[in-house]
């Protein structure tokens, strides 16, 4: 973490910011060309979005994808893959798996052979504590990892192994 990478180029009418959460990565916006920026204060946005649930859902989805893209570009070896390819081929197939402290991986709907990334939190491999994954690390899930324990609340990203994207990305992982 900590490296500066280009994540996306926003076009007219696209939004950024407003994605402060436990899973947000810090970022900054830099203009690539002259343009106009509109800032909407939180209270005004909250009022408008409460009256337009479909717009709220669309904005939340867009901000989630931007956060996912920032994670893959900043924290994983997939940072070398162009953002457009990650956005179109990987992100739509990702499954977000929220983690609760104290549970084992056996308690989540994970499939042996799927690729997982630790997005946030702390997992413990009780057999080899020093081999526990760190945020940003990815691995192929196996049945032997069922007893790994979530030490804190967190988030996993899961890519099903039965996808074309898995075969295309496997050499990069």
């Amino acid at each position: 973490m900590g490296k500066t990478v280009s994540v996306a180029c926003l076009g007219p009418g696209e939004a950024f910011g407003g994605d402060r959460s436990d899973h947000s990565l810090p970022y900054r916006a830099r203009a690539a060309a002259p343009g106009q920026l509109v800032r909407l204060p939180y209270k005004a946005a909250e009022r408008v979005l409460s009256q337009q649930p479909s717009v709220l859902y669309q904005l939340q989805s867009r901000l989630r994808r931007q956060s996912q893209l920032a994670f893959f570009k900043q924290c994983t070896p997939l940072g070398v893959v162009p953002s457009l390819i990650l956005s179109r081929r990987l992100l739509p197939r990702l499954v977000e798996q929220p983690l609760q402290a104290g549970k084992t991986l056996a308690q989540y709907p994970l499939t042996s052979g799927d690729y997982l990334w630790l997005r946030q939190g702390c997992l413990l491999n009780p057999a080899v504590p020093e081999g526990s994954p760190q945020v940003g690390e990815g691995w192929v899930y196996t049945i032997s990892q069922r007893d790994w324990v979530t030490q804190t609340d967190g988030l996993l990203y899961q890519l099903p192994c039965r996808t074309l994207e898995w075969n295309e990305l496997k050499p990069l992982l």
Side-chain angles (χ1 to χ4, degrees):
M1 290 205 227
K3 63 183 175 181
T4 300
V5 295
S6 176
V7 173
C9 183
L10 302 180
E14 293 185 303
F16 71 93
D19 56 347
R20 282 182 279 150
S21 75
D22 292 341
H23 306 301
S24 295
L25 289 170
Y27 65 86
R28 64 179 178 208
R30 189 171 59 187
Q36 190 173 23
L37 182 67
V38 176
R39 179 180 173 268
L40 187 59
Y42 178 79
K43 290 289 185 190
E46 186 178 48
R47 187 175 55 252
V48 169
L49 294 174
S50 69
Q51 298 168 2
Q52 300 292 327
S54 63
V55 174
L56 175 61
Y57 175 78
Q58 183 181 24
L59 183 60
Q60 287 172 332
S61 295
R62 184 178 296 161
L63 293 174
R64 185 180 328 96
R65 292 289 186 231
Q66 285 177 0
S67 178
Q68 291 171 339
L69 187 57
F71 168 76
F72 282 102
K73 295 293 284 186
Q74 291 180 27
C75 303
T76 76
L78 294 177
V80 299
V81 177
S83 297
L84 193 59
I85 292 172
L86 290 174
S87 294
R88 290 186 178 170
R89 303 199 54 89
L90 173 67
L91 301 186
R93 281 134 184 101
L94 278 184
V95 176
E96 287 190 347
Q97 183 60 64
L99 301 174
Q100 292 181 346
K103 288 190 169 189
T104 64
L105 290 185
Q107 296 174 275
Y108 296 98
L110 303 174
T111 303
S112 186
D114 287 352
Y115 204 85
L116 305 176
W117 289 270
L118 183 60
R119 170 63 167 90
Q120 184 182 31
C122 184
L123 279 175
L124 175 67
N125 174 352
V128 187
E130 61 277 1
S132 300
Q134 302 299 307
V135 169
E137 288 184 33
W139 69 95
V140 176
Y141 180 68
T142 64
I143 208 75
S144 65
Q145 297 163 352
R146 294 171 51 85
D147 62 343
W148 288 14
V149 180
T150 56
Q151 298 293 292
T152 63
D153 290 348
L155 184 67
L156 277 179
Y157 289 146
Q158 176 183 10
L159 178 66
C161 64
R162 298 164 305 282
T163 64
L164 176 62
E165 289 70 26
W166 164 245
N167 293 325
E168 291 177 359
L169 295 171
K170 192 176 357 179
L172 299 171
L173 306 170

